[in-house]
Amino acid sequence: MTDTIPFNRPHVTGDEFKNIADAVQRGHLSGDGHYTRACHQMIEKITGVHNTLLTTSCTHALEIAASLLDLAPGDEVIMPSFTFVSTANAFVLRGARPVFVDIRPDTLNLDESLIEAAITPRTRAIAVVHYAGIACDMSAIGAIAERHGLTVVEDNAHGLGATYRGRQLGSFGELATQSFHETKNIHCGEGGALLVNDPNLMSRAEILREKGTNRSQFFRGAVDKYTWVEVGSSYLPSDLLAAFLLAQLESFDVIQARRMHIWNTYRDELAEWAAARSVTLPTVPDDCEHPAHLFYLLLPTLDDRQAFIAHLRSHDVQSVFHYVPLHSSPMGIELGGASATCPVTEDVSDRLVRLPLFPDLADGDIERVVAAVRSFDPTGHAPRS
Ligand SMILES: Cc1ncc(COP(=O)(O)O)c(C=O)c1O
């Protein structure tokens, strides 16, 4: 009997425990200590963004972003339906209505050609998601936002270190968010970051993250006492989590190289099999560098996808589908999502499946995954040996 290859196994570099012990030794275990500051520097080095705030999750970073927009009830935020619930929840919690726009069939990102038709006098922002860390067309989306005076928020949960036309994701929107959940390339179990590209928003972002107080300014000596100045919450992680995260960030290049090797092996080994069976592999436009976050396949039909997952399971390989469309979910419908037209989202959501991809996947395991995939035949022909 062979061990099942999981979809994900959180990677640990080995330095996490040393850092945590050091954090304990330093005696500062709450947020914004030595390790949080070191993480901010590392994230800034990777993304090129100078104002970074570690948060307890990408979800919470999105919530701060939504608060910074000062949304009024009835304001609208354009976003894909093909995303995680947090992209929508963050804005809904602040009173806005999500307006779901369909995705492109190649990159599975917000279809920039459909955005302008969804803009109304109530539209305040465009929330983009770089699916699999492959960039949206930020040139077109930036131009639309500028034309209509809209804020761009990048949900860059997948895309740390990826680029669009040579520029890092997370540096395009006025605000951007990262995830350090254990399924992400770099993680601390649960964690995230807010990247603030509009310097005018930074001081309020700090306040919202620190329970609505100006405590951060107080610790910098900018004010002589700290007090309650806005409605906020507690969005800063313990320095223990930052200590864990720093070890990961310091291994970024090594982790990325291993993930890229796995991603490239899947692409090279599965291209011919896929082409012969109407299976689609990820599309990476020429002007995008991806971060090897996800390797997905689009099977010809929903039945094929379900049969594929079962087939891989019978070969002791775990594969998983991804987002369920938001516009047609119970909450999405309550928010008016039934009027959204998202045929690509509905189609892709049914047919997409993700393969195991994590740094500790051994070469033998990669071969096992490839062999299991290649022995599946969605067209009903006899499997190859
Ligand atoms: C696009 C997107 N945004 C936000 C999140 C939420 O991230 P977190 O778990 O760090 O809150 C996820 C989770 O995977 C995601 O895929």
Side-chain angles (χ1 to χ4, degrees), residues 84-135:
F84 194 64
V85 288
S86 300
T87 320
N89 262 326
F91 298 99
V92 175
L93 275 167
R94 304 300 184 249
R97 195 173 78 80
V99 173
F100 297 111
V101 166
D102 210 2
I103 50 172
R104 289 166 45 147
D106 55 354
T107 58
L108 316 187
N109 286 330
L110 199 57
D111 187 336
E112 63 282 356
S113 72
L114 303 175
I115 293 175
E116 278 193 297
I119 295 175
T120 74
R122 300 307 305 264
T123 309
R124 296 286 315 284
I126 307 172
V128 301
V129 176
H130 306 296
Y131 186 68
I134 297 167

Side-chain angles (χ1 to χ4, degrees), residues 277-332:
R277 287 161 182 79
S278 305
V279 174
T280 309
L281 303 185
T283 300
V284 184
D286 286 345
D287 50 9
C288 298
E289 270 180 63
H290 74 91
H293 175 53
L294 301 178
F295 193 93
Y296 65 83
L297 311 174
L298 291 169
L299 274 294
T301 65
L302 170 62
D303 286 346
D304 286 324
R305 197 268 306 269
Q306 299 308 79
F308 179 88
I309 292 174
H311 174 84
L312 259 60
R313 194 184 310 123
S314 73
H315 285 70
D316 298 311
V317 175
Q318 190 189 19
S319 60
V320 292
F321 57 86
H322 210 178
Y323 305 132
V324 175
L326 295 183
H327 71 282
S328 51
S329 67
M331 190 64 210

Side-chain angles (χ1 to χ4, degrees), residues 57-59 62 83-84 86-87 129 155 157-158 179 181 184 191 323:
S57 62
C58 182
T59 301
L62 284 161
T83 183
F84 194 64
S86 300
T87 320
V129 176
D155 180 342
H158 302 182
S179 174
H181 182 264
K184 302 305 184 293
Y323 305 132

Side-chain angles (χ1 to χ4, degrees), residues 226-308:
Y226 80 85
T227 185
W228 186 23
V229 290
E230 269 225 44
V231 177
S233 192
S234 184
Y235 292 120
L236 70 171
S238 155
D239 222 44
L240 291 173
L241 277 177
F244 188 105
L245 185 65
L246 185 67
Q248 299 260 320
L249 288 165
E250 284 177 338
S251 275
F252 185 64
D253 292 345
V254 176
I255 290 170
Q256 289 303 99
R258 179 68 194 161
R259 294 186 74 101
M260 203 56 85
H261 168 73
I262 299 167
W263 199 100
N264 287 339
T265 306
Y266 283 155
R267 182 202 51 202
D268 296 346
E269 297 294 323
L270 298 178
E272 201 180 308
W273 168 86
R277 287 161 182 79
S278 305
V279 174
T280 309
L281 303 185
T283 300
V284 184
D286 286 345
D287 50 9
C288 298
E289 270 180 63
H290 74 91
H293 175 53
L294 301 178
F295 193 93
Y296 65 83
L297 311 174
L298 291 169
L299 274 294
T301 65
L302 170 62
D303 286 346
D304 286 324
R305 197 268 306 269
Q306 299 308 79
F308 179 88

